[in-house]
Amino acid sequence: DVKVTQSSRYLVKRTGEKVFLECVQDMDHENMFWYRQDPGLGLRLIYFSYDVKMKEKGDIPEGYSVSREKKERFSLILESASTNQTSMYLCASRILGGSSYNEQFFGPGTRLTVL
Amino acid sequence: AQTVTQSQPEMSVQEAETVTLSCTYDTSESDYYLFWYKQPPSRQMILVIRQEAYKQQNATENRFSVNFQKAAKSFSLKISDSQLGDAAMYFCAYRGNNNDMRFGAGTRLTVKP
């Protein structure tokens, strides 16, 4: 079974702190994604990566950056956390190639609170 | 850009009954893929069912089935014989040619014993 893990289930940070959210997948998937989930808004794509050292902006990249130094790991970075970044963050991975039919596998999520 | 709309923020169903969750989408593409994901409380999101737009036959997975109406751009999920474990947030999602996945706002399903 594909396993996507995230470093923390719950995280509390203060405004202005630098925050790292880590995601690791164990199925050699090329594609990895970071979403934020907010009530009434569903999932919105922050950044994605097609492969190692590659990254593309999603719909809401402002205030975030990412790092993909190894294939299995995709990190989301909040350079200076703000209260409006309080949210649930979901990581996902997907195999490249073949049909777009391919399923995205999700991590358990990190609920981040910025005080 | 493609949009996905789930017009029912909350739904409830009696155990063993049938419930239908609605989803509509907006696109100018002819080839695309549609998905329903389930997010149980405090648990990981998992794929429930998927549909390729070029297939006319509606997808079915055990108690879960879809009603795919391409012309109407509608993709509803039917859950038959509802069980307590079906209680979750359900997200409809669209993937087109650019491979981005677009999600609806979600429908919270409650199952009453």
Side-chain angles (χ1 to χ4, degrees):
Chain A
D1 284 348
V2 174
K3 196 166 185 181
V4 181
T5 57
Q6 295 182 228
S7 51
S8 305
R9 289 301 302 272
Y10 300 94
L11 207 54
V12 179
K13 295 292 181 181
R14 297 215 172 267
T15 302
E17 280 193 80
K18 190 169 186 176
V19 182
F20 293 86
L21 303 183
E22 305 284 340
C23 176
V24 177
Q25 50 93 5
D26 67 357
M27 284 301 290
D28 204 36
H29 285 175
E30 291 84 0
N31 296 175
M32 295 188 75
F33 307 82
W34 274 106
Y35 296 90
R36 69 177 275 176
Q37 180 182 356
D38 298 289
L41 297 177
L43 279 70
R44 293 179 292 167
L45 183 64
I46 305 172
Y47 266 97
F48 61 101
S49 170
Y50 285 125
D51 211 331
V52 179
K53 297 193 185 295
M54 296 177 67
K55 59 184 178 183
E56 296 286 339
K57 292 180 180 179
D59 295 325
I60 52 166
E62 296 78 18
Y64 304 94
S65 63
V66 291
S67 173
R68 184 119 182 251
E69 295 297 319
K70 294 184 178 182
K71 193 173 187 179
E72 68 271 17
R73 187 180 298 270
F74 192 34
S75 302
L76 179 69
I77 303 157
L78 287 67
E79 294 290 342
S80 178
S82 63
T83 54
N84 62 13
Q85 293 178 309
T86 291
S87 186
M88 171 70 87
Y89 290 87
L90 295 177
C91 175
S93 73
R94 186 178 80 207
I95 196 166
L96 181 66
S99 167
S100 289
Y101 202 73
N102 288 333
E103 178 182 352
Q104 279 186 195
F105 294 87
F106 285 86
T110 295
R111 186 168 294 282
L112 172 68
T113 302
V114 183
L115 302 175
Chain B
Q2 295 83 10
T3 57
V4 178
T5 302
Q6 292 179 249
S7 59
Q8 306 153 317
E10 295 183 352
M11 290 283 284
S12 67
V13 63
Q14 206 70 36
E15 197 176 3
E17 298 292 309
T18 295
V19 65
T20 298
L21 308 184
S22 301
C23 173
T24 59
Y25 56 93
D26 183 29
T27 185
S28 58
E29 297 175 324
S30 57
D31 290 331
Y32 49 86
Y33 304 85
L34 298 163
F35 307 81
W36 277 99
Y37 278 87
K38 171 185 177 181
Q39 186 181 40
S42 301
R43 293 179 61 187
Q44 274 165 268
M45 192 172 300
I46 56 173
L47 180 68
V48 175
I49 197 166
R50 54 193 167 193
Q51 174 85 38
E52 295 153 303
Y54 67 84
K55 287 188 177 178
Q56 292 187 341
Q57 186 172 8
N58 289 324
T60 299
E61 289 285 344
N62 301 314
R63 297 182 296 106
F64 298 88
S65 61
V66 299
N67 183 5
F68 173 48
Q69 303 288 330
K70 191 173 185 179
K73 297 178 183 175
S74 171
F75 183 60
S76 60
L77 174 70
K78 185 171 84 170
I79 306 173
S80 304
D81 185 25
S82 297
Q83 301 175 0
L84 295 178
D86 295 333
M89 280 290 287
Y90 286 83
F91 291 96
C92 177
Y94 168 103
R95 181 185 299 142
N97 294 329
N98 64 1
N99 276 325
D100 282 356
M101 189 171 269
R102 299 284 171 176
F103 289 85
T107 296
R108 183 175 301 280
L109 178 66
T110 302
V111 181
K112 298 178 180 177

